[in-house]
Coordinates of all heavy atoms in Angstrom, one line a residue:
M1 N 35.8 1.8 -11.1 CA 34.4 1.6 -10.8 C 34.1 2.7 -9.7 O 34.7 3.0 -8.8 CB 34.1 0.3 -10.2 CG 32.7 0.0 -9.8 SD 32.3 -1.6 -9.3 CE 30.6 -1.8 -9.8
T2 N 32.9 3.4 -10.0 CA 32.5 4.4 -9.1 C 31.8 3.9 -7.8 O 31.0 2.9 -8.0 CB 31.4 5.3 -9.8 OG1 32.0 5.8 -11.1 CG2 31.1 6.5 -9.0
P3 N 32.3 4.3 -6.6 CA 31.6 3.8 -5.5 C 30.2 4.1 -5.3 O 29.7 5.1 -5.9 CB 32.5 4.6 -4.3 CG 33.7 5.2 -5.0 CD 33.4 5.3 -6.4
P4 N 29.5 3.2 -4.7 CA 28.0 3.4 -4.6 C 27.7 4.7 -3.9 O 26.6 5.3 -4.4 CB 27.6 2.2 -3.7 CG 28.6 1.3 -3.9 CD 29.9 1.9 -4.1
S5 N 28.4 5.2 -3.0 CA 28.1 6.4 -2.4 C 28.1 7.7 -3.2 O 27.4 8.6 -3.3 CB 28.9 6.7 -1.1 OG 30.3 6.8 -1.4
V6 N 29.1 7.6 -4.2 CA 29.3 8.7 -5.2 C 28.1 8.5 -6.2 O 27.6 9.6 -6.6 CB 30.6 8.6 -5.8 CG1 30.7 9.5 -7.0 CG2 31.7 8.9 -4.8
R7 N 27.8 7.4 -6.6 CA 26.6 7.1 -7.6 C 25.3 7.7 -6.9 O 24.5 8.3 -7.6 CB 26.5 5.7 -7.9 CG 27.6 5.3 -8.9 CD 27.3 3.9 -9.6 NE 26.8 2.9 -8.7 CZ 27.8 2.0 -8.2 NH1 28.9 2.0 -8.5 NH2 27.3 1.0 -7.4
L8 N 25.1 7.4 -5.6 CA 23.9 7.7 -4.9 C 23.8 9.3 -4.9 O 22.8 9.9 -5.3 CB 23.8 7.2 -3.6 CG 22.7 7.7 -2.7 CD1 21.3 7.3 -3.3 CD2 22.7 7.0 -1.3
F9 N 24.9 9.9 -4.6 CA 25.0 11.4 -4.4 C 24.7 12.0 -5.8 O 23.9 12.9 -5.9 CB 26.3 11.9 -3.9 CG 26.5 13.4 -3.9 CD1 25.8 14.2 -2.7 CD2 27.1 14.1 -4.7 CE1 26.0 15.4 -2.7 CE2 27.2 15.6 -4.6 CZ 26.6 16.1 -3.6
A10 N 25.3 11.5 -6.9 CA 25.0 12.0 -8.2 C 23.6 11.9 -8.7 O 23.0 12.7 -9.3 CB 26.0 11.3 -9.2
S11 N 23.0 10.7 -8.2 CA 21.6 10.5 -8.5 C 20.8 11.4 -7.8 O 19.7 11.9 -8.3 CB 21.2 9.1 -8.1 OG 19.8 8.8 -8.2
R12 N 21.0 11.8 -6.5 CA 20.3 12.8 -5.8 C 20.4 14.1 -6.4 O 19.4 14.9 -6.5 CB 20.7 12.8 -4.3 CG 20.2 11.6 -3.4 CD 20.7 11.9 -2.0 NE 20.4 10.9 -1.2 CZ 20.8 10.7 0.0 NH1 21.6 11.6 0.6 NH2 20.6 9.7 0.7
E13 N 21.7 14.5 -6.9 CA 21.7 15.8 -7.4 C 21.0 15.9 -8.7 O 20.4 16.9 -9.0 CB 23.3 16.0 -7.6 CG 24.1 16.3 -6.4 CD 23.7 17.6 -5.7 OE1 23.6 18.6 -6.3 OE2 23.4 17.5 -4.5
A14 N 21.1 14.9 -9.5 CA 20.2 14.9 -10.8 C 18.7 15.0 -10.5 O 18.1 15.6 -11.3 CB 20.6 13.7 -11.6
Y15 N 18.3 14.5 -9.4 CA 16.8 14.5 -9.0 C 16.5 15.8 -8.3 O 15.3 16.2 -8.5 CB 16.5 13.3 -8.1 CG 15.1 13.0 -8.0 CD1 14.2 12.7 -9.0 CD2 14.5 13.1 -6.7 CE1 12.8 12.5 -8.9 CE2 13.2 12.7 -6.5 CZ 12.3 12.5 -7.5 OH 11.0 12.4 -7.2
N16 N 17.4 16.4 -7.7 CA 17.1 17.7 -7.0 C 16.5 18.8 -7.9 O 17.0 19.1 -8.9 CB 18.3 18.3 -6.3 CG 18.1 19.2 -5.3 OD1 17.0 19.4 -4.8 ND2 19.1 20.2 -5.1
G17 N 15.4 19.2 -7.5 CA 14.6 20.3 -8.2 C 13.7 19.7 -9.1 O 12.9 20.5 -9.9
R18 N 13.7 18.4 -9.4 CA 12.8 17.8 -10.4 C 11.8 17.0 -9.7 O 11.1 16.2 -10.5 CB 13.7 17.0 -11.4 CG 14.6 17.9 -12.2 CD 15.5 17.0 -13.2 NE 16.3 17.8 -13.9 CZ 17.5 18.4 -13.7 NH1 18.0 18.1 -12.4 NH2 18.2 19.1 -14.5
Q19 N 11.7 16.9 -8.5 CA 10.7 16.2 -7.8 C 9.3 16.6 -8.3 O 9.0 17.8 -8.5 CB 10.8 16.3 -6.3 CG 12.1 15.8 -5.7 CD 13.1 16.9 -5.6 OE1 13.1 17.8 -6.4 NE2 14.1 16.8 -4.7
P20 N 8.3 15.6 -8.2 CA 6.9 16.0 -8.6 C 6.3 16.8 -7.5 O 5.2 17.4 -7.9 CB 6.2 14.7 -8.8 CG 7.0 13.7 -8.0 CD 8.4 14.2 -7.9
G21 N 6.8 16.8 -6.4 CA 6.0 17.5 -5.2 C 6.3 19.1 -5.2 O 7.2 19.6 -5.7
D22 N 5.4 19.8 -4.6 CA 5.4 21.2 -4.4 C 5.6 21.5 -2.9 O 4.8 21.2 -2.1 CB 4.1 21.8 -4.8 CG 4.1 23.3 -4.7 OD1 4.8 23.9 -3.8 OD2 3.4 23.9 -5.5
P23 N 6.9 22.0 -2.5 CA 7.0 22.3 -1.1 C 6.0 23.0 -0.3 O 5.7 22.7 0.8 CB 8.4 22.9 -1.1 CG 9.1 22.6 -2.3 CD 7.9 22.4 -3.4
A24 N 5.4 24.0 -1.0 CA 4.5 24.9 -0.4 C 3.1 24.0 -0.1 O 2.5 24.2 1.0 CB 4.1 26.0 -1.3
K25 N 2.9 23.1 -1.1 CA 1.7 22.3 -0.9 C 1.9 21.3 0.3 O 1.0 20.9 1.0 CB 1.3 21.6 -2.1 CG 0.7 22.5 -3.2 CD 0.3 21.7 -4.4 CE -0.2 22.7 -5.4 NZ -0.7 21.9 -6.7
A26 N 3.1 20.8 0.3 CA 3.5 19.8 1.4 C 3.5 20.5 2.8 O 2.9 19.9 3.7 CB 4.9 19.3 1.2
A27 N 3.8 21.7 2.9 CA 3.8 22.5 4.1 C 2.3 22.7 4.6 O 1.9 22.5 5.6 CB 4.6 23.8 4.0
A28 N 1.5 23.0 3.5 CA 0.1 23.2 3.8 C -0.5 22.0 4.3 O -1.4 22.0 5.2 CB -0.6 23.8 2.6
A29 N -0.2 20.9 3.7 CA -0.7 19.6 4.1 C -0.3 19.2 5.5 O -1.1 18.7 6.3 CB -0.3 18.5 3.1
L30 N 1.0 19.4 5.8 CA 1.5 19.1 7.2 C 0.7 20.1 8.2 O 0.4 19.5 9.3 CB 2.9 19.4 7.3 CG 3.7 18.3 6.5 CD1 5.2 18.7 6.5 CD2 3.5 17.0 7.1
L31 N 0.5 21.2 8.0 CA -0.2 22.2 8.9 C -1.6 21.8 9.0 O -2.2 21.8 10.1 CB -0.1 23.6 8.4 CG 1.3 24.3 8.4 CD1 1.2 25.7 7.8 CD2 1.7 24.4 10.0
H32 N -2.3 21.4 8.0 CA -3.6 20.8 8.1 C -3.6 19.6 8.9 O -4.6 19.5 9.9 CB -4.2 20.6 6.6 CG -5.6 19.8 6.7 ND1 -6.7 20.4 7.1 CD2 -5.8 18.5 6.4 CE1 -7.6 19.5 7.0 NE2 -7.1 18.3 6.6
V33 N -2.9 18.6 8.6 CA -2.9 17.5 9.4 C -2.5 17.7 10.9 O -3.2 17.2 11.9 CB -1.9 16.4 8.8 CG1 -1.6 15.2 9.7 CG2 -2.4 15.9 7.4
A34 N -1.7 18.6 11.2 CA -1.3 18.9 12.6 C -2.4 19.5 13.3 O -2.4 19.5 14.5 CB -0.1 19.8 12.5
S35 N -3.2 20.2 12.6 CA -4.4 20.7 13.3 C -5.6 19.7 13.6 O -6.6 20.1 14.2 CB -5.0 21.8 12.4 OG -5.7 21.4 11.3
L36 N -5.6 18.5 13.1 CA -6.6 17.6 13.2 C -6.6 17.0 14.6 O -5.5 16.8 15.2 CB -6.4 16.5 12.3 CG -6.6 16.9 10.8 CD1 -6.3 15.7 9.8 CD2 -7.9 17.4 10.5
S37 N -7.7 16.6 15.1 CA -7.9 16.1 16.5 C -7.4 14.6 16.5 O -6.9 14.0 17.4 CB -9.3 16.1 17.0 OG -10.2 15.6 16.3
E38 N -7.5 14.0 15.2 CA -7.2 12.6 15.0 C -6.2 12.5 13.8 O -6.7 12.0 12.7 CB -8.3 11.7 14.9 CG -9.0 11.5 16.2 CD -10.2 10.5 16.3 OE1 -9.9 9.5 15.6 OE2 -11.1 10.6 16.9
P39 N -5.0 13.0 13.8 CA -4.2 13.0 12.6 C -3.8 11.5 12.3 O -3.8 10.7 13.1 CB -2.9 13.8 12.9 CG -2.9 13.7 14.5 CD -4.3 13.5 14.9
P40 N -3.5 11.2 11.0 CA -3.0 9.9 10.6 C -1.7 9.5 11.2 O -0.9 10.4 11.5 CB -2.9 10.0 9.0 CG -2.7 11.5 8.8 CD -3.4 12.3 9.8
L41 N -1.6 8.3 11.4 CA -0.3 7.8 11.9 C 0.9 7.9 10.9 O 2.1 8.0 11.2 CB -0.3 6.3 12.4 CG -1.3 6.1 13.5 CD1 -1.5 4.6 13.8 CD2 -0.7 6.9 14.8
R42 N 0.4 7.8 9.5 CA 1.4 7.9 8.5 C 0.8 8.9 7.6 O -0.4 9.0 7.3 CB 1.7 6.6 7.8 CG 2.4 5.5 8.6 CD 2.4 4.2 7.9 NE 1.9 4.1 6.5 CZ 2.6 3.9 5.4 NH1 4.0 3.9 5.5 NH2 2.2 3.7 4.3
L43 N 1.6 9.6 6.8 CA 1.1 10.6 5.8 C 2.1 10.5 4.7 O 3.3 10.7 4.7 CB 1.1 12.0 6.3 CG 0.5 13.0 5.4 CD1 -0.9 12.8 5.0 CD2 0.6 14.4 6.0
L44 N 1.6 10.1 3.5 CA 2.4 10.0 2.2 C 2.1 11.3 1.5 O 1.1 11.7 1.1 CB 2.0 8.9 1.4 CG 2.1 7.5 2.2 CD1 1.3 6.5 1.3 CD2 3.5 7.2 2.4
L45 N 3.3 12.0 1.3 CA 3.2 13.3 0.6 C 3.8 13.2 -0.8 O 4.9 12.8 -1.0 CB 4.1 14.4 1.2 CG 3.4 14.7 2.7 CD1 4.3 15.7 3.3 CD2 2.0 15.2 2.7
G46 N 3.0 13.4 -1.9 CA 3.4 13.2 -3.3 C 3.0 12.0 -3.9 O 2.9 10.9 -3.2
S47 N 2.8 12.1 -5.3 CA 2.4 10.8 -6.0 C 3.5 9.8 -6.0 O 3.3 8.6 -6.1 CB 2.1 11.3 -7.4 OG 3.2 11.9 -8.0
D48 N 4.8 10.2 -5.9 CA 5.9 9.3 -6.0 C 5.9 8.5 -4.7 O 6.0 7.3 -4.7 CB 7.2 9.9 -6.3 CG 7.5 11.0 -5.3 OD1 6.7 11.7 -4.7 OD2 8.7 11.6 -5.3
S49 N 5.7 9.1 -3.5 CA 5.6 8.5 -2.3 C 4.5 7.6 -2.2 O 4.6 6.4 -1.7 CB 5.6 9.5 -1.1 OG 6.8 10.2 -1.1
Y50 N 3.4 8.0 -2.6 CA 2.1 7.3 -2.6 C 2.3 5.9 -3.4 O 2.0 4.8 -3.0 CB 0.9 7.9 -3.0 CG -0.3 7.1 -2.9 CD1 -1.1 7.2 -1.6 CD2 -0.8 6.3 -3.8 CE1 -2.2 6.5 -1.4 CE2 -2.0 5.6 -3.6 CZ -2.7 5.7 -2.5 OH -3.7 4.9 -2.2
A51 N 2.8 6.1 -4.6 CA 3.1 4.9 -5.6 C 4.0 3.9 -4.9 O 3.8 2.7 -5.0 CB 3.5 5.5 -6.9
A52 N 5.1 4.4 -4.3 CA 6.1 3.5 -3.7 C 5.4 2.7 -2.5 O 5.7 1.5 -2.4 CB 7.3 4.3 -3.3
A53 N 4.7 3.4 -1.7 CA 4.0 2.8 -0.6 C 3.0 1.9 -1.0 O 2.9 0.7 -0.3 CB 3.4 3.9 0.4
E54 N 2.3 2.2 -2.1 CA 1.2 1.3 -2.6 C 1.8 -0.1 -3.2 O 1.4 -1.1 -2.8 CB 0.4 1.9 -3.6 CG -0.7 1.1 -4.2 CD -1.6 1.9 -5.2 OE1 -0.9 2.4 -6.1 OE2 -2.8 1.8 -5.1
K55 N 2.9 0.1 -3.8 CA 3.7 -1.0 -4.4 C 4.1 -1.9 -3.2 O 4.0 -3.1 -3.4 CB 4.8 -0.6 -5.4 CG 5.5 -1.8 -6.0 CD 6.7 -1.4 -6.9 CE 7.4 -2.5 -7.5 NZ 7.4 -3.7 -6.8
S56 N 4.8 -1.4 -2.3 CA 5.3 -2.0 -1.2 C 4.3 -2.8 -0.5 O 4.4 -4.0 -0.2 CB 6.0 -1.1 -0.2 OG 6.5 -1.9 0.9
A57 N 3.1 -2.2 -0.2 CA 2.0 -2.8 0.5 C 1.4 -4.1 -0.3 O 1.1 -5.1 0.2 CB 0.8 -1.8 0.7
L58 N 1.3 -3.8 -1.7 CA 0.7 -4.9 -2.5 C 1.7 -6.0 -2.7 O 1.2 -7.2 -2.6 CB 0.4 -4.3 -4.0 CG -0.8 -3.4 -4.0 CD1 -0.9 -2.7 -5.3 CD2 -2.0 -4.0 -3.7
D59 N 3.0 -5.7 -2.6 CA 4.0 -6.8 -2.7 C 4.0 -7.7 -1.5 O 4.0 -8.8 -1.5 CB 5.4 -6.2 -2.9 CG 5.7 -5.6 -4.3 OD1 4.8 -5.9 -5.2 OD2 6.8 -5.0 -4.5
K60 N 3.9 -6.9 -0.3 CA 3.7 -7.6 1.0 C 2.5 -8.5 1.0 O 2.5 -9.7 1.4 CB 3.7 -6.6 2.2 CG 5.0 -6.0 2.4 CD 4.9 -5.0 3.5 CE 6.1 -4.1 3.6 NZ 5.9 -3.0 4.4
M61 N 1.3 -7.9 0.6 CA 0.0 -8.7 0.5 C 0.2 -10.0 -0.3 O -0.2 -11.0 0.1 CB -1.0 -7.8 0.1 CG -2.5 -8.7 0.2 SD -3.8 -7.6 -0.5 CE -3.7 -6.1 0.7
E62 N 0.9 -9.9 -1.5 CA 1.1 -11.0 -2.4 C 1.7 -12.1 -1.8 O 1.6 -13.2 -1.8 CB 1.6 -10.5 -3.7 CG 1.6 -11.6 -4.8 CD 0.3 -12.0 -5.2 OE1 -0.6 -11.3 -5.1 OE2 0.1 -13.2 -5.5
S63 N 2.9 -11.6 -1.1 CA 3.8 -12.6 -0.5 C 3.0 -13.2 0.8 O 3.2 -14.5 0.9 CB 5.1 -11.8 0.1 OG 5.8 -12.7 0.9
D64 N 2.3 -12.5 1.4 CA 1.5 -13.0 2.6 C 0.6 -14.1 2.0 O 0.4 -15.2 2.7 CB 0.8 -12.0 3.4 CG 1.8 -11.2 4.2 OD1 3.0 -11.5 4.3 OD2 1.3 -10.0 4.7
K65 N -0.2 -13.8 1.0 CA -1.1 -14.7 0.4 C -0.5 -16.0 0.0 O -0.9 -17.2 0.2 CB -1.8 -14.1 -0.8 CG -2.9 -13.1 -0.5 CD -3.6 -12.6 -1.7 CE -4.5 -11.5 -1.4 NZ -5.2 -10.9 -2.7
H66 N 0.8 -15.8 -0.6 CA 1.5 -17.0 -1.1 C 1.9 -18.0 0.1 O 1.8 -19.2 -0.1 CB 2.7 -16.5 -1.8 CG 3.6 -17.6 -2.4 ND1 3.4 -18.3 -3.5 CD2 4.7 -18.2 -1.8 CE1 4.2 -19.2 -3.7 NE2 5.1 -19.3 -2.8
W67 N 2.2 -17.4 1.2 CA 2.6 -18.1 2.4 C 1.4 -18.4 3.4 O 1.6 -18.9 4.5 CB 3.8 -17.6 3.0 CG 5.0 -17.6 2.1 CD1 5.5 -16.7 1.3 CD2 5.7 -18.8 1.8 NE1 6.5 -17.1 0.5 CE2 6.6 -18.4 0.8 CE3 5.6 -20.2 2.2 CZ2 7.6 -19.3 0.3 CZ3 6.6 -21.0 1.7 CH2 7.6 -20.7 0.8
K68 N 0.2 -18.1 2.9 CA -0.9 -18.2 3.9 C -1.0 -19.6 4.6 O -1.2 -19.7 5.7 CB -2.2 -17.8 3.2 CG -3.5 -17.8 4.2 CD -4.7 -17.5 3.4 CE -5.9 -17.5 4.3 NZ -7.1 -17.2 3.6
D69 N -1.0 -20.6 3.7 CA -1.1 -21.9 4.3 C 0.0 -22.3 5.4 O -0.4 -22.9 6.3 CB -1.1 -22.9 3.1 CG -2.3 -22.8 2.3 OD1 -3.3 -22.5 2.7 OD2 -2.2 -23.4 1.1
V70 N 1.2 -21.9 5.0 CA 2.1 -22.2 6.1 C 1.9 -21.3 7.4 O 2.0 -21.8 8.4 CB 3.6 -21.8 5.5 CG1 4.6 -21.9 6.6 CG2 3.9 -22.7 4.3
S71 N 1.4 -20.1 7.2 CA 1.3 -19.2 8.4 C 0.1 -19.8 9.1 O 0.2 -19.9 10.5 CB 0.8 -17.9 7.9 OG 1.9 -17.1 7.2
L72 N -1.0 -20.2 8.5 CA -2.1 -20.8 9.2 C -1.8 -22.1 10.0 O -2.5 -22.6 10.9 CB -3.4 -20.9 8.3 CG -3.8 -19.5 7.8 CD1 -5.1 -19.6 7.0 CD2 -4.1 -18.5 8.9
S73 N -1.0 -22.9 9.3 CA -0.6 -24.2 9.8 C 0.0 -24.2 11.1 O 0.1 -25.2 11.9 CB 0.4 -24.9 8.7 OG 1.6 -24.4 8.9
T74 N 0.4 -23.1 11.7 CA 1.1 -23.0 12.9 C 0.1 -22.8 14.1 O 0.4 -22.8 15.4 CB 2.1 -21.9 13.0 OG1 1.5 -20.6 12.8 CG2 3.2 -22.0 11.9
D75 N -1.3 -22.7 13.7 CA -2.3 -22.5 14.8 C -2.4 -23.8 15.7 O -2.1 -24.9 15.1 CB -3.7 -22.1 14.2 CG -3.6 -20.7 13.7 OD1 -2.8 -20.0 14.0 OD2 -4.8 -20.4 13.0
D76 N -2.8 -23.6 16.8 CA -3.1 -24.7 17.7 C -4.2 -25.5 17.1 O -5.3 -25.1 16.6 CB -3.6 -24.3 19.1 CG -3.8 -25.4 20.0 OD1 -3.9 -26.6 19.7 OD2 -3.8 -25.0 21.1
S77 N -4.1 -26.9 16.8 CA -5.0 -27.7 16.1 C -6.3 -27.8 17.0 O -7.4 -28.1 16.4 CB -4.5 -29.1 16.1 OG -4.1 -29.8 17.2
S78 N -6.4 -27.5 18.3 CA -7.6 -27.5 19.0 C -8.4 -26.2 18.8 O -9.5 -26.2 19.2 CB -7.3 -27.8 20.5 OG -6.7 -26.6 21.0
D79 N -7.8 -25.2 18.2 CA -8.5 -23.9 17.9 C -9.1 -24.0 16.6 O -8.4 -24.0 15.6 CB -7.5 -22.8 18.0 CG -8.0 -21.4 17.8 OD1 -9.3 -21.3 17.8 OD2 -7.2 -20.5 17.8
E80 N -10.3 -24.0 16.5 CA -11.1 -24.0 15.2 C -11.6 -22.7 14.8 O -12.6 -22.6 14.1 CB -12.4 -25.0 15.4 CG -12.0 -26.4 15.8 CD -11.2 -27.0 14.7 OE1 -11.4 -26.8 13.5 OE2 -10.3 -27.9 15.0
T81 N -10.8 -21.7 15.0 CA -11.3 -20.3 14.7 C -10.4 -19.7 13.5 O -10.3 -18.6 13.3 CB -10.9 -19.3 15.9 OG1 -9.7 -19.3 16.2 CG2 -11.9 -19.6 17.0
H82 N -9.9 -20.7 12.6 CA -9.2 -20.3 11.5 C -10.1 -19.3 10.6 O -11.2 -19.5 10.4 CB -8.9 -21.4 10.6 CG -7.9 -22.4 11.3 ND1 -6.5 -22.1 11.2 CD2 -8.1 -23.5 12.0 CE1 -5.9 -23.2 12.0 NE2 -6.9 -23.9 12.4
V83 N -9.4 -18.4 10.0 CA -10.1 -17.4 9.1 C -10.1 -18.0 7.6 O -9.2 -18.5 7.2 CB -9.3 -16.0 9.1 CG1 -10.1 -15.0 8.2 CG2 -9.4 -15.6 10.6

């Protein structure tokens, strides 16, 4: 059986040079953002990064919604400011 580290390296090598991003465009975006007076706290570069971050955020939101009742049940009962 091939060790996970070897499989990961092989996967990276197969992906290298085939990423959807353009390094020159990424550099231009970074320079633009660096020049802003209020740059973003996070910057997703590339459609693959954006898609992964969006999926992660939606998965978290769905999980949070699923457990909303339990989350809200821990509020102080004298506090009537539930959302």
Side-chain angles (χ1 to χ4, degrees):
M1 179 173 207
T2 307
S5 60
V6 173
R7 287 193 309 266
L8 177 62
F9 181 75
S11 174
R12 282 187 187 167
E13 286 298 307
Y15 190 61
N16 190 25
R18 294 179 178 81
Q19 300 91 331
D22 179 333
K25 289 181 179 179
L30 289 173
L31 289 173
H32 169 70
V33 169
S35 73
L36 298 175
S37 60
E38 294 184 35
L41 295 176
R42 293 176 0 113
L43 181 63
L44 303 170
L45 297 177
S47 58
D48 53 343
S49 295
Y50 188 89
E54 183 178 46
K55 181 182 181 326
S56 176
L58 291 172
D59 288 349
K60 288 176 193 173
M61 185 183 297
E62 189 62 34
S63 176
D64 291 347
K65 283 181 183 179
H66 180 79
W67 294 102
K68 180 180 179 179
D69 291 340
V70 174
S71 297
L72 298 181
S73 73
T74 63
D75 286 353
D76 184 347
S77 59
S78 65
D79 182 9
E80 296 299 325
T81 61
H82 295 277
V83 177

